[in-house]
Amino acid sequence: MSCSEKPFFVIVKNTGQGFNFDNDVIYKSPLATHRLSQATGAMHPSLLVKSDWGLNKRKTISNLITGEAGGAILKSADGKKNIVREGTQGKTGIIYPKGNKGYVMAKIGKGSKVDEAPSVAELARILSDLSLRTNVNVRGSPIEFKRLLDYIQFMMVNKVTKDSSLYLARPNNYHVMEAVHTDGISLEEAYSTAFRDSNSNSKVYGRAYFLTQDRVAALASIVRGIPTVYQSGEQSYYNLPITNVVPTIRSIIASMLIKKGFKIPGNRPSMNAHSNRIQELITPGGKPVITSGPLFAWFLDTRDVGSKTNTDGKERVVGTDFHRLSLNEKVLVILYWVFNYPGKNTEVIEYFLAILDSFHDFTSSRATDEFKNIWPATNTNKSPFEQSRTKTRDGINTNNIPLPQQQHKFLVKLLGVDIYRKVGAYNNLIV
């Protein structure tokens, strides 16, 4: 059932006289808002992404271009200043900004992959090159473009699902390319012609599903209420439920935690040393690992157990020994914290899953084979991991914020550069 042909799916709108393109898709990530569309003026499918990071454009990647349009950008690049890497899948590069424009990322593939987006390996090579340069404003930003280009599929399904005048169309690839190259017409006109030609074997679908073998992507899709089919193995397909998803997941996580000895107190007792802080989740060792209160609406305490002195001279115990919990326990605690976060909860979940998916991609061998320092082996280099653990409420200060002008390699810091900049964009102090 998986589509080995990889056809060019497009979104079309029924106008009554025919179909027009309606391909723009908007994806709002934790860091930026991206508009994905079909690049104009190209004789082959080319993806154009325009990104608004809420920052000075010269300090961001404001465009990603693939396909023929991406090839034109790379061809004009100044090799001395810009980063352009050629691999087995094609060329990928970052073009430095000119004037008031932002950085541009471009990709041109080889053979049948001419219009594909950059892979994890290609982006890892770019990140490796950036880590060797000084005064670069987009250290971790390439990571963001892997996520949004993965998510474009279920965002297309979401758009079609919510608008009855829209359809997901699959024209026959051969007829479309032949029309573009032989007749010299636009890509949109080529698609429209394919729909009108009864011999073109083109199809238009009024109902769309996101099919994936990626569990995190499937989860990111169903929390948005997008029709999703999860594939396990060669022939096992599951039409996932998309209603009441978050409450169901909350119930499952709570049940698993209770079985492991955690307590979710119904009477929500206050902390002994802080009457305005409420204990929401208590470890088997009796430590309140999640609390709520006026300072932190939903605080996950990952500190080691220790003592602090109050202003009146009395000592109090702080911390939960979070890092001494088992791996499964830590995962469940973090998921409980995310799925029960107060306020606009769905957005918090969507943002968390996007960052989680980035860790899933860039800690794998696809990335580390190209850039080992992005996630070094702990038996040879533990220091990046130990340092990242100190970035709790007590460990964050204006002196240790990772600045984009400095050279960074570790994934946590690469993501941290953009996360900290985003906090600054809200005019809030980091601390």
Side-chain angles (χ1 to χ4, degrees), residues 249-260:
I249 292 175
R250 283 178 184 163
S251 177
I252 293 170
I253 294 169
S255 175
M256 294 174 75
L257 282 166
I258 290 170
K259 286 180 180 178
K260 289 183 177 293

Side-chain angles (χ1 to χ4, degrees), residues 36 47-49 61 63-67 70 74 85 89-94 104-110 113-127 141-150 361-362 366:
L36 298 86
L47 183 68
L48 171 64
V49 180
I61 299 176
N63 286 279
L64 167 68
I65 307 174
T66 73
L74 290 174
R85 293 290 299 265
Q89 294 177 303
K91 282 186 178 181
T92 306
I94 288 185
V104 176
M105 183 182 290
K107 159 72 187 286
I108 176 68
K110 290 181 177 179
K113 299 182 177 182
V114 289
D115 66 317
E116 286 191 358
S119 66
V120 169
E122 290 171 312
L123 291 173
R125 285 196 292 270
I126 293 292
L127 290 166
S141 304
I143 296 169
E144 171 84 348
F145 289 91
K146 178 64 174 71
R147 187 60 38 240
L148 75 95
L149 291 167
D150 278 354
D361 282 335
F362 288 91
R366 293 171 295 167

Side-chain angles (χ1 to χ4, degrees), residues 341-358:
Y341 202 95
K344 199 175 181 181
N345 179 266
T346 303
E347 190 171 59
V348 173
I349 295 168
E350 291 174 5
Y351 285 1
F352 170 80
L353 291 175
I355 294 172
L356 175 66
D357 223 347
S358 293

Side-chain angles (χ1 to χ4, degrees), residues 31-49:
L31 305 172
T33 298
H34 308 277
R35 180 181 290 273
L36 298 86
S37 60
Q38 178 67 43
T40 58
M43 300 295 283
H44 200 285
S46 298
L47 183 68
L48 171 64
V49 180

Side-chain angles (χ1 to χ4, degrees), residues 7 26 40 42 48 50 75 85 112 152 186 201-202 240-241 277 286 327 343 379 398:
I26 295 175
T40 58
L48 171 64
K50 293 184 178 179
K75 195 173 182 180
R85 293 290 299 265
S112 62
I152 185 176
S186 71
N201 192 30
S202 300
L240 302 181
R277 282 178 61 189
L327 182 61
N379 60 344
T398 53

Side-chain angles (χ1 to χ4, degrees), residues 268-280 287-292 301 303 317-319:
R268 302 177 71 235
S270 62
M271 300 276 291
N272 292 332
H274 300 281
S275 59
N276 62 350
R277 282 178 61 189
I278 305 299
Q279 301 181 62
E280 303 287 356
K287 302 299 182 183
V289 68
I290 295 178
T291 58
S292 60
D301 191 347
R303 296 171 297 178
V317 176
V318 298

